[in-house]
Amino acid sequence: MSQETILGIYVFIMAIFVGFEVISRVPSVLHTPLMSGTNAIHGIVVLGAYLVAGSADTPLLHVLGFIAVVFGAANVFGGFVVTDRMLEMFKKREVALPKAEAEKKNA
Amino acid sequence: MLDFRESVIALSYIVAAVFFIFGLKHLSSPATARAGNRLAAIGMALALGVTLLDRQIVSFWTIAIGTLIGAAIGVYFARTVQMTAMPQMVALFNGMGGGTAALVSVAEFLRLTRAGDAIGWGEGTSIVLGTAIGAISFTGSIIAFGKLQEILPGRPLQFPLQRLINAFILLSVLGLGGFVVVGGGGPTALWLLFAAALVLGAMFVLPIGGGDMPVVISILNSLTGLAAALTGFVLHNQMLVVAGVLVGASGTLLTLLMSKAMNRSVGNVLFGAFGAASSDAVAATSAVGRTVRQTTPEDTAIALAYARSVVIVPGYGLAVAEAQHTVRELATDLEKRGVDVKYAIHPVAGRMPGHMNVLLAEANVPYDQLLEMDQVNGEFPQTDVVLVVGANDVVNPAARDDPSSPIYGMPILDVDRARNVIVLKRSMGHGFAGIDNALFYNDNTRMLFGDARQSLTQVGQALKNV
């Protein structure tokens, strides 16, 4: 086994702990946006598609690389935009909250 | 030693990884979630940007055109999709990622075999797993999309010998995988593996009921993360390993949290014959032949106008009818009359945990009126009128009282303990779980049939004349 593979396994194991640790407590309100956000992050795999498509030297590899780039880019861009749209709603309600309180005080 | 360009790439990857970690951290708290998503997006831009510096990349056309097309498709759908269709949108994007991982693994295998390089067992295993998991995630997500979009029936699809056939496909995937790793078969075996894994992904999701799709999508999400990490091993790229595993691990934790909120174990979701059990239950309860009591919009308006406290229980039916704005207007009118109005949000109201909060926030419902299940359940006995709008399974008392019910044990909103319950419903059809609801037959329950938005509009007009 190469030194590189061992290093990769190191990174793999450490990242498992980090992944578990960073989202230890999530309110159920955020489950959907969080799933959507992590969904966008695994779009990083388009990076692999870049390496394949950029170094392709046969028609088949070009086609495979191209489809992979399209899929991966849709995952990345769509994922981040859709998550942002969801979270934008949450921001609105912070504006709505003081308004509602103000109305109560006036009443 | 790395030269200057390689060092820049490697260091930038580390920075990008830090962005991803902070992004995830911020995504798990309401106040910082949006910033978190943006941090992750910055990390992504950095990682993709520096990858273009890689000397392995000699032609940029495929990348440029592919990225443009993919980004256009992704952004178009992400911006135009209805908030109600959000869960299936996540499923679809997830499938795309899975497909990418599988294609990258296959392409790298083809390149290596053609170059005549010996493929070590470590690389071979990564390629096989990356291909298989990516392909499973691809077709699995598409079936999940089809079920949520109601292109496919939401009920579990079962057929004779299903388990036997699935076991056979699983064994072929494993067998072909082993064959590829030990160096036999070459590209043909990997293509066959790819095809078998595509079939397996579809077969794995088909027998799962539509109500469990959020958990399934979450599982597929972490699988895609894992597949991305495996392509990192194939391409010797640590960025892919870090980001992929982060998603794999956090996605697994999220899956556990979600199934806990729905009181279902992950194993039960994946392998439990939920639909089979419920069809018996339907037969048993509807055979009793009890009748429901109907009401009119006018009577509903009177009941609401003279109530002191009203709790609105929104469900997916409200979202489908796009009635969230109408319900908010009705609530505002009631408040002007001095009625205390609250919303009771079940953790899995809508089609995904947190989905209903997003929908109501979109309709400008003040956040302090949204009560979670634990906060509101104690208040129901003192509540004059509960208005159930398009919710069904989450208010079914059978989950609390009837051990033979397939949803027994799921935490519910105890609306049957309120003084009066008015249920707005399109018809007497069953909820997503496909089972009958005893609440509808209670003495203090009245049914208002019709499209939720129309009914609410009529109630609103009738209220003006009260």
Side-chain angles (χ1 to χ4, degrees):
Chain A
M1 209 184 269
S2 68
Q3 192 66 37
E4 222 169 10
T5 311
I6 297 288
L7 188 70
I9 296 173
Y10 247 115
V11 173
F12 191 96
I13 303 288
M14 294 300 144
I16 291 179
F17 285 97
V18 176
F20 260 92
E21 214 43 49
V22 280
I23 66 149
S24 51
R25 251 178 243 101
V26 195
S28 66
V29 190
L30 278 179
H31 284 178
T32 299
L34 181 64
M35 191 204 293
S36 180
T38 55
N39 177 48
I41 293 177
H42 70 48
I44 187 76
V45 69
V46 74
L47 191 160
Y50 278 11
L51 294 175
V52 166
S55 62
D57 49 6
T58 68
L60 179 60
L61 285 182
H62 269 294
V63 171
L64 287 180
F66 178 71
I67 301 175
V69 171
V70 172
F71 277 10
N75 184 181
V76 169
F77 286 87
F80 280 119
V81 172
V82 94
T83 313
D84 193 63
R85 253 188 85 197
M86 274 187 231
L87 293 168
E88 197 184 355
M89 310 291 172
F90 285 94
K91 203 160 177 252
K92 259 191 201 160
R93 114 202 144 186
E94 281 165 28
V95 183
L97 185 65
K99 224 191 266 172
E101 275 171 2
E103 276 169 18
K104 263 185 204 162
K105 272 174 201 161
N106 292 340
Chain B
M1 277 302 276
L2 300 176
D3 65 21
F4 178 69
R5 192 195 287 209
E6 287 160 348
S7 309
V8 169
I9 296 175
L11 290 173
S12 304
Y13 280 166
I14 297 176
V15 176
V18 172
F19 271 101
F20 285 150
I21 292 169
F22 273 103
L24 274 178
K25 176 105 195 134
H26 283 125
L27 263 172
S28 46
S29 149
T32 55
R34 202 174 181 201
N37 187 48
R38 295 196 165 163
L39 281 178
I42 293 170
M44 183 66 72
L46 178 65
L48 295 185
V50 296
T51 302
L52 295 175
L53 298 174
D54 194 305
R55 286 201 180 84
Q56 204 184 320
I57 297 179
V58 287
S59 114
F60 289 91
W61 281 110
T62 329
I63 295 176
I65 298 172
T67 306
L68 230 73
I69 295 175
I73 296 172
V75 172
Y76 174 75
F77 281 109
R79 297 194 83 126
T80 51
V81 65
Q82 294 283 328
M83 276 295 158
T84 44
M86 214 52 105
Q88 50 266 52
M89 205 66 238
V90 176
L92 203 58
F93 288 142
N94 180 57
M96 298 281 149
T100 311
L103 291 175
V104 168
S105 304
V106 172
E108 191 61 13
F109 182 79
L110 296 178
R111 203 179 63 80
L112 290 172
T113 43
R114 197 173 38 95
D117 294 355
I119 301 177
W121 64 266
E123 264 176 338
T125 312
S126 310
I127 287 172
V128 163
L129 288 175
T131 308
I133 297 174
I136 289 171
S137 178
F138 179 67
T139 44
S141 301
I142 287 178
I143 299 290
F145 169 81
K147 286 198 173 218
L148 288 169
Q149 191 71 26
E150 283 163 16
I151 301 168
L152 294 169
R155 293 185 66 77
L157 289 182
Q158 285 167 322
F159 51 86
L161 299 180
Q162 191 167 28
R163 295 204 172 185
L164 204 69
I165 293 170
N166 286 354
F168 172 74
I169 302 171
L170 179 65
L171 283 178
S172 350
V173 169
L174 293 176
L176 286 164
F179 201 42
V180 172
V181 172
V182 297
T188 317
L190 192 71
W191 280 116
L192 282 174
L193 170 85
F194 184 44
L198 286 176
V199 177
L200 185 64
M203 298 295 272
F204 153 71
V205 180
L206 277 175
I208 303 173
D212 286 330
M213 277 309 126
V215 179
V216 171
I217 297 172
S218 186
I219 292 170
L220 293 172
N221 184 38
S222 36
L223 280 183
T224 308
L226 186 61
L230 288 162
T231 61
F233 278 101
V234 179
L235 297 166
H236 303 291
N237 186 306
Q238 307 296 1
M239 180 79 254
L240 284 172
V241 178
V242 173
V245 175
L246 276 177
V247 174
S250 59
T252 305
L253 187 62
L254 186 59
T255 308
L256 295 174
L257 289 174
M258 236 184 229
S259 33
K260 204 176 148 204
M262 300 169 82
N263 200 34
R264 311 265 282 122
S265 81
V266 175
N268 194 343
V269 167
L270 295 183
F271 307 110
F274 195 59
S278 66
S279 50
D280 300 342
V282 172
T285 41
S286 43
V288 181
R290 289 167 300 178
T291 51
V292 296
R293 292 168 191 78
Q294 280 200 49
T295 183
T296 61
E298 291 72 25
D299 288 344
T300 307
I302 292 170
L304 291 172
Y306 291 104
R308 253 178 307 139
S309 54
V310 170
V311 173
I312 299 171
V313 179
Y316 189 68
L318 171 127
V320 174
E322 284 171 32
Q324 55 269 47
H325 292 276
T326 322
V327 85
R328 206 251 312 142
E329 282 162 24
L330 183 67
T332 316
D333 286 348
L334 286 172
E335 280 184 311
K336 282 185 191 143
R337 288 170 174 267
V339 182
D340 177 44
V341 183
K342 292 270 164 45
Y343 297 80
I345 312 289
H346 190 274
V348 294
R351 287 274 161 98
M352 269 193 176
H355 193 192
M356 192 51 66
N357 302 66
V358 175
L359 294 173
L360 290 176
E362 190 193 12
N364 280 325
V365 172
Y367 181 57
D368 57 349
Q369 286 187 356
L370 305 184
L371 298 184
E372 295 198 10
M373 185 172 58
D374 300 336
Q375 292 172 285
V376 78
N377 262 349
E379 292 189 19
F380 280 122
Q382 290 89 46
T383 303
D384 293 325
V385 180
V386 171
L387 202 59
V388 179
V389 189
N392 191 343
D393 299 325
V394 298
V395 293
N396 191 343
R400 191 184 59 219
D401 306 328
D402 177 9
S404 71
S405 170
I407 58 167
Y408 181 69
M410 181 176 93
I412 57 157
L413 293 162
D414 297 325
V415 298
D416 54 320
R417 293 184 175 154
R419 295 194 182 108
N420 294 290
V421 182
I422 297 170
V423 180
L424 274 69
K425 225 174 156 320
R426 229 175 338 191
S427 65
M428 275 307 287
H430 296 135
F432 220 42
I435 54 172
D436 210 6
N437 193 336
L439 173 75
F440 304 155
Y441 306 100
N442 275 357
D443 290 338
N444 59 348
T445 303
R446 297 288 177 277
M447 306 296 290
L448 182 57
F449 289 116
D451 173 76
R453 185 156 62 159
Q454 270 177 15
S455 299
L456 286 167
T457 313
Q458 286 165 358
V459 172
Q461 278 161 358
L463 191 64
K464 290 189 173 71
N465 303 324
V466 174

